Amino acid sequence: MTPLAPSGFLTIGDSKLEYRIAGASDSPPAIVMLHEGLGSAALWGDFPDKLAAATGVTVFAYSRAGYGASSPVALPRPLTYMQDEASTVLPALLDTIGFRRGLLLGHSDGASIAAIYAGSTQDHRVRGLVLIAPHFIVEDVSIDSIAQAKTAYEQGDLKTRLARWHKHVDVAFRGWNDAWLDPAFRSWDISDALAYIRVPVQVVQGESDQYGTIRQVEIAQTECYCPVEVAMIAGAGHAPQRERADVTLDAIAGFANRILKLHHEAEDA
């Protein structure tokens, strides 16, 4: 296939999704990054570039529909929006970008989507998962923090700050916030998918995460039959890749390099 440009848009289904590549754009992506519930390709900052440099592989980050400069979505989002993303959009995107072998790296909602995908689709190309601040169940602390975000959006400066990253800022915020604050969402639970993941998993969690507790880590350790490594990041909240970038990068790059090296050696044997 024709190599992707360093940045641009991909048509997946009815949506145009923005993306950016870190590392060699003429090589198939080996790490695919899935952003948080209010994230975008740009909001990763220079973390993809640092990760590409630390691993020597191509890193691909994109904005899901409704985020960044990608196409908007109809509201309200279905409460199954993460399952829908994992079952429909992500597999089509991996095919389109020529993904051959590597890792999925997700943050928050993106981590949940990656876990759902790996637990529901036996994709031999996915050799490992990096889950930053994942959600497998809904906790009270999550709802409390998301309710506070709603107040900050409606009465504070959060909308202005988010507008820097999202072309359709109301769609980005309400699509996420309204779904999580819907009373029916309290029963959302994807922990059953974890038992079907067949690749090593790294969970990266800030010790002061305001959106989830250590319970999320314990669920991964209990439900996964595959190896689970845990990196608890001191001095970090829900976004350790921004709040303690160097420590988080070292942890993730170490895991990724071991997984990629292991499979490269196995294929060369």
Side-chain angles (χ1 to χ4, degrees):
M1 62 175 289
T2 303
L4 295 168
S7 63
F9 290 83
L10 297 173
T11 299
I12 305 293
D14 296 329
S15 299
K16 289 189 178 298
L17 307 182
E18 71 164 336
Y19 73 88
R20 59 177 293 242
I21 292 174
S25 59
D26 58 348
S27 298
I31 299 177
V32 176
M33 303 181 74
L34 295 88
H35 62 74
E36 64 196 283
L38 290 178
S40 66
L43 194 53
W44 287 106
D46 64 359
F47 197 81
D49 303 279
K50 291 181 176 179
L51 184 58
T55 57
V57 301
T58 301
V59 177
F60 180 93
Y62 73 103
S63 298
R64 296 189 294 276
Y67 296 100
S70 294
S71 300
V73 296
L75 298 180
R77 282 187 182 271
L79 302 188
T80 57
Y81 72 94
M82 284 181 272
Q83 291 95 322
D84 297 343
E85 186 79 21
S87 64
T88 303
V89 180
L90 184 56
L93 180 133
L94 295 177
D95 290 343
T96 299
I97 66 175
F99 183 69
R100 295 177 185 172
R101 180 189 73 233
L103 293 85
L104 301 181
L105 186 162
H107 174 214
S108 194
D109 275 16
S112 302
I113 292 166
I116 295 167
Y117 181 74
S120 59
T121 303
Q122 297 306 308
D123 187 341
H124 69 279
R125 299 171 298 181
V126 176
R127 306 302 175 89
L129 300 178
V130 177
L131 308 178
I132 304 174
H135 299 288
F136 307 120
I137 61 170
V138 179
E139 297 183 278
D140 290 342
V141 66
S142 308
I143 300 304
D144 290 345
S145 291
I146 291 169
Q148 292 173 24
K150 180 178 181 179
T151 300
Y153 189 81
E154 295 175 345
Q155 302 177 19
D157 67 346
L158 181 57
K159 181 173 182 176
T160 300
R161 289 188 284 120
L162 288 176
R164 175 185 176 190
W165 306 106
H166 303 289
K167 181 177 180 180
H168 309 281
V169 64
D170 286 334
V171 171
F173 184 81
R174 289 182 50 212
W176 165 78
N177 195 261
D178 291 356
W180 275 86
L181 294 183
D182 188 313
F185 197 74
R186 290 306 296 258
S187 62
W188 181 85
D189 185 337
I190 62 165
S191 58
D192 58 342
L194 300 180
Y196 298 95
I197 296 174
R198 294 292 180 262
V199 294
V201 175
Q202 182 188 50
V203 178
V204 180
Q205 183 90 358
E207 289 185 354
S208 302
D209 191 337
Q210 65 273 39
Y211 284 91
T213 72
I214 193 67
R215 177 67 182 136
Q216 306 291 343
V217 178
E218 293 169 346
I219 289 171
Q221 293 173 314
T222 300
E223 300 297 331
C224 288
Y225 289 97
C226 52
V228 176
E229 294 186 18
V230 177
M232 297 299 298
I233 309 299
H238 191 59
Q241 76 277 11
R242 293 193 290 270
E243 298 159 10
R244 294 294 308 280
D246 290 346
V247 175
T248 303
L249 177 66
D250 287 346
I252 293 174
F255 175 81
N257 283 329
R258 290 195 304 273
I259 298 301
L260 295 171
K261 181 174 184 292
L262 175 67
H263 286 284
H264 180 73
E265 290 176 344
E267 291 173 356
D268 287 346

